Amino acid sequence: WQSSIFPATNDEQPRIREHSLALTLACLSFDFIGTTLDEASEEMGTIQVPSSWRALMEDPPTMQLFFDIYNSSSPPTSSKALEVLVLLASLRRSLFSGDDERQAFLSRLMRGTLHVLQGQQGLTEHENYHELCRLLARLKANYQLSELVQADCYHEWIGLVATFTIDSFKHWQWAANSVYYLLSLWSRLVASMPYLKGDVPSQLESYVPQVITAFIHSRMELVRALQSRSDAEAELDDPLDNEEQLTEQLDTLPSLCRFQLQQASSYVLSLFQPCAKLYSQLLALPPDRHAEADVSQRLAQCEGELAWLVYIIGTVLGSHLTPSSNSEAQQLVDAELTCIVLQLLSLLDVPGNVQLRREHRSNQHLELALVFFMQQFRKVYVGDQATAVSKIYAVLQERLALSDNLAVLSVLMNKIVTNLKLRSDCLEITEKTLVLLADLAGGYSSGKMLLKLDTVHFILGNHTSAEFPFLDVAANSRLRTTFYSTLCKLLFSDDQAGPFKAFMKPFTELMSQLADTTAEAFASQRVCLALVGVVRDLRGVVSACSSRRTYTLFFDWVYPSFTPVFQRAAVTYYHLPEVTTPLLKLYAELVYNKAQRLTFDSSSPNGILLFRDASAILVAYGSRILDHQLQPGTDVYAHRLKGISICMTLLTRALSGNYVNFGVFALYGDRALSDCLEVIIKLCLSIPPDQIMVYTKVSKAYFTLMELLMRNHTATLVELDTPVLKHICTSLQAGLKSHEVAISSQCAAALEHLAAFHFNATSDDRDSAVKSALAAHLAREPELFSSQLAVLLNMIVFEDCANQWSLSRPLLALILSNPAYFASWKQSILQQQASSPDRQMKLTAAFDRLMADVQNNLEAKNRDRFTQNLTVFRHDAKLLF
């Protein structure tokens, strides 16, 4: 048709077709209503095309055109045609004239895919194959199962889709990236079964077990292929090494497996038991046999297969929390599956077996699968969310002599201790094991039950690296904080102080040794490592202090006995971020008044003492890092900016904690506050404004601190030199334009405090040092405030801003403080409309309404009136411009 109007050569026709497809894709993908949130995702929701396209979309030749293009071309043209069909399958329901038209549209889609599956046309090309899988998944995502079964070709279609899915799983090397779409299709089909009405059979009962069996078998085949892969297959991906890919595949399994649970579990058991038996026999071989290539490969294969089966069991078990999935029969199946996994635990944790296998990646995969299983079991059968009456423990009692959840909890804790003791060289296992321990300790009932176990009391009494070697592994250093935070949550469940003193004894001994260390020895590598470890551990202890009682226990232990050690560390190691970062984070946690834990008696000086100590640390670090010159090529963020941002967070928390009366310091001539503010302002000035905006953590800490200082310590900032105040105002101006709404709002609040302070000072008839300082600043920098006003006015009038209310708050104070500038800005805007007298008149009226009934004060009622006027003004201005 195109060729008859625009004559095209044979060479040009494929290019015209390719560009036409690209244009069609762009049109259908266009975000017509501005709702696309995730531009990085290749998956879309419903396509919101205009209603004027209705006739074109409902016209049968439109869809048929793209199926014809697919059948008559090769990639990339054919795969692009399928991409268009994927988008067509996503059209919104309301686009169609009625349900009959939509049903006819769906039938055409199903018939088109049916013909592709029947003829296997183009499916030897990977791009076509992948797009067809996406198209099948979109059919169920956008249409109900009840609509699919009404199609006249449904029975033939579902049979061929099942065959296609099973073949895809059999040839998993070919369809590795398409597995997710096929699994999601079947998972959604099964999830719709409870809502299917009428007599039309879905035939899912016969196909779903075959699909599950094919998928699980394909995972076994994948393990075998990975163990025997040649150099040509070296790039074969293992989903067990890719958590995101693994999660994608596992998330679709629960609904599939629970649909025909008995059949699925029987198949899993039929694979698991022989594999576990073979694994046990191989482990029982003499140690010298394990070095043989054949034995080693078979062991790795068993571990890979068992890992997949344990992941599948754990996923199915975890889905028990979903509605209508807790029948007695299903609980008995859960019990059978749980028994075989718990039996495997005892085999794996024999010290000799751990020593032999722990360095092998396949063994680590199996261990990670077991931790995943325990986490899923915890969610359903242990603790706060546990099923109240469960048949699972009757089976566990009969098979494994585990009578209740406390007995199973003991098994889980023994496994956790074994992992932390014997598998310390695998960071991933240690990390996930500690997450499991934290989740168990964090639950109210599970935490109480843990305290009944001897294993837990053993850990609380023996928590050093002598018992838990993972604490000495450098890669695990960040996990020390998690470990001690979890232990202290358990420890603080006891209301007595005695256990805390016993728990802290190893720390008391170590800190006493560090306190007695000579200056020369204090700078040694041994002391450096000890310091890094102890500050990470203590931060975990402090983070677990969630009440006044527990915080006071720790504060009385650390102050004043051991705080001088931290000050020495800040002075000695200020240039080493591996020491200063955890040290500053410890103090940022120590001064943090979360849950009102820093509530001291009215006669207690502890609040002031804590602030003075934190100030000493901040000044010791900050004053030295300012003079420290970094070598070329050094990571600026790691060696300077990160430490400075933690200092900002530390001071923000200390100043906003409401446990110190800061007026006391000036009254008694104590320079703790003034020195601290002086150093932090110098640190802020040392960061160029562009670097503040580049690093998210730095910008959040900086603007939070600035808002707090502008609110509570405005006079101190006003007394600074003019270039310093200008630098701060310039940075706030940059922050106003940030795409982060929280940062923009904080900058607006900071400017509001400064502008209000300026207005109140100039309105006061009395002379003061602050008033003189402001006058001096404006004499040197006349545009100090007017430039902020210009930015805010332009943003509110000409830009779309999500935080209009926040931006409007500083505006009134700035307008009242700078009436001349506001009048000139208003005049310049009106002058720009001189060519349109009507528009100029309307804009003049809008400006008049903006300041209507607004008084020359900053009282709350006046501010609210101005904000309401501004909303109307913004609406009028948008209509005009």
Side-chain angles (χ1 to χ4, degrees), residues 416-661:
I416 287 169
V417 171
T418 304
N419 280 0
L420 296 179
K421 278 188 167 191
L422 303 181
R423 295 187 172 85
S424 56
D425 46 358
C426 181
L427 173 63
E428 211 176 344
I429 292 174
T430 305
E431 188 173 4
K432 292 193 181 299
T433 301
L434 286 173
V435 169
L436 173 62
L437 178 59
D439 288 341
L440 285 170
Y444 178 77
S445 58
S446 58
K448 292 286 185 188
M449 282 193 289
L450 283 178
L451 289 171
K452 297 177 183 177
L453 299 176
D454 293 339
T455 309
V456 171
H457 289 287
F458 170 80
I459 297 172
L460 293 176
N462 305 270
H463 51 77
T464 62
S465 58
E467 284 292 338
F468 295 100
F470 85 92
L471 293 168
D472 283 339
V473 178
N476 294 333
S477 61
R478 292 185 178 184
L479 302 179
R480 297 176 69 131
T481 305
T482 309
F483 179 61
Y484 277 100
S485 176
T486 304
L487 293 191
C488 287
K489 280 178 187 171
L490 294 170
L491 181 72
F492 291 146
S493 299
D494 193 329
D495 290 340
Q496 299 174 4
F500 177 75
K501 290 178 181 176
F503 182 84
M504 297 301 288
K505 189 178 176 183
F507 295 120
T508 305
E509 292 171 357
L510 176 58
M511 292 297 290
S512 299
Q513 291 172 13
L514 291 173
D516 296 337
T517 306
T518 62
E520 185 180 349
F522 198 81
S524 66
Q525 181 68 15
R526 180 184 62 82
V527 170
C528 178
L529 290 173
L531 271 169
V532 171
V534 77
V535 294
R536 286 188 184 278
D537 298 346
L538 293 177
R539 181 176 158 225
V541 176
V542 186
S543 67
C545 297
S546 56
S547 67
R548 176 183 175 182
R549 178 186 68 84
T550 53
Y551 185 88
T552 305
L553 281 174
F554 181 82
F555 186 78
D556 290 343
W557 174 83
V558 77
Y559 187 91
S561 305
F562 304 126
T563 47
V565 176
F566 300 135
Q567 291 177 26
R568 281 180 76 187
V571 171
T572 307
Y573 295 104
Y574 70 90
H575 58 292
L576 294 178
E578 54 267 32
V579 179
T580 55
T581 297
L583 175 60
L584 292 169
K585 282 186 176 180
L586 167 63
Y587 266 84
E589 185 64 45
L590 194 59
V591 299
Y592 190 21
N593 190 14
K594 61 182 178 185
Q596 295 301 304
R597 61 182 184 173
L598 272 76
T599 308
F600 301 112
D601 293 332
S602 57
S603 58
S604 170
N606 284 353
I608 292 170
L609 295 174
L610 172 60
F611 181 79
R612 287 179 63 185
D613 192 58
S615 171
I617 291 283
L618 195 152
V619 170
Y621 168 77
S623 57
R624 286 167 176 79
I625 203 68
L626 279 168
D627 298 329
H628 181 60
Q629 296 298 317
L630 296 180
Q631 296 296 320
T634 306
D635 184 346
V636 179
Y637 177 75
H639 284 78
R640 183 187 293 274
L641 298 182
K642 189 173 184 180
I644 293 174
S645 68
I646 299 169
C647 285
M648 293 175 191
T649 303
L650 190 162
L651 186 57
T652 302
R653 289 177 173 179
L655 293 176
S656 61
N658 291 325
Y659 51 85
V660 184
N661 183 341

Side-chain angles (χ1 to χ4, degrees), residues 345-464:
L345 286 183
S346 56
L347 176 67
L348 276 164
D349 288 345
V350 175
N353 293 342
V354 176
Q355 203 68 32
L356 278 170
R357 300 296 304 165
R358 68 181 184 186
E359 292 181 6
H360 292 81
R361 187 59 184 155
S362 57
N363 184 264
Q364 292 170 5
H365 286 157
L366 179 52
E367 286 298 333
L368 289 168
L370 289 167
V371 174
F372 173 81
F373 165 82
M374 292 190 289
Q375 188 67 276
Q376 301 306 309
F377 185 88
R378 175 198 68 80
K379 289 177 185 175
V380 184
Y381 292 110
V382 177
D384 305 331
Q385 302 298 319
T387 310
V389 179
S390 175
K391 299 292 178 185
I392 192 169
Y393 291 108
V395 179
L396 291 175
Q397 165 71 25
E398 181 186 331
R399 298 272 297 275
L400 302 176
L402 300 172
S403 57
D404 55 17
N405 53 9
L406 186 63
V408 177
L409 200 56
S410 178
V411 173
L412 300 189
M413 277 307 302
N414 288 335
K415 176 62 181 169
I416 287 169
V417 171
T418 304
N419 280 0
L420 296 179
K421 278 188 167 191
L422 303 181
R423 295 187 172 85
S424 56
D425 46 358
C426 181
L427 173 63
E428 211 176 344
I429 292 174
T430 305
E431 188 173 4
K432 292 193 181 299
T433 301
L434 286 173
V435 169
L436 173 62
L437 178 59
D439 288 341
L440 285 170
Y444 178 77
S445 58
S446 58
K448 292 286 185 188
M449 282 193 289
L450 283 178
L451 289 171
K452 297 177 183 177
L453 299 176
D454 293 339
T455 309
V456 171
H457 289 287
F458 170 80
I459 297 172
L460 293 176
N462 305 270
H463 51 77
T464 62

